[in-house]
Amino acid sequence: MSRSPDVLRLLWWAVHGGSGALLLVAVIGAARDGRAAVAVTGLLLGALYAAGPAFTGRLRGRARERAWLVVVTLLWTVLSALSPLFTWLAFPILLAALYVLPLWAAMFGVAVLTCVSAAAASWHAGGVSAALVAGPAAQAVAATVMWAGPVTGSRSRSRVRGRPARPPGV
């Protein structure tokens, strides 16, 4: 079954739109709780994430986009420790790690991000539960499956460049 570029483009925008909505909910929640610094930091995370395409364009080296990924990931980790509302924003970062990093590092990164997300959610909840572990695990599986679709259609380009082709419309 082949995927049309329109479906991939729609899926890509749905991920970013949904992530933006989750970020907005987290920022508003932090502001309502009187945590202005957390809300402002959440807005900074959104701005840095949105600036990603400026760093993930065609570059000689991959250092700039990897630096962007590290900064976004660290900022998300801090926000996840400060507020449970930010823990569910791991999904777009998982996708970014899959796109930016070589396969072995991406798989390691997905595993680490999934564990961090589950640990932060459990810490905020006061204990571990199946749902708090299954949620981040499901995000990791969904991100990997979404990322693998474009890769299987562009294996030769992926091998040459060491990463998948950019999803259409990005």
Side-chain angles (χ1 to χ4, degrees), residues 57-139:
R58 293 184 183 258
L59 304 169
R60 282 188 187 178
R62 313 238 341 138
R64 283 179 49 188
E65 61 187 8
R66 288 180 180 161
W68 166 82
L69 179 63
V70 166
V71 170
V72 167
T73 302
L74 289 175
L75 193 55
W76 168 79
T77 302
V78 168
L79 285 167
S80 292
L82 295 173
S83 172
L85 297 172
F86 289 94
T87 59
W88 304 110
L89 289 170
F91 190 74
I93 299 170
L94 292 169
L95 284 171
L98 286 162
Y99 176 74
V100 169
L101 301 173
L103 181 60
W104 68 269
M107 291 296 101
F108 178 76
V110 165
V112 169
L113 285 170
T114 301
C115 291
V116 168
S117 183
S122 298
W123 181 67
H124 286 294
V128 179
S129 74
L132 295 176
V133 173
Q139 282 187 348

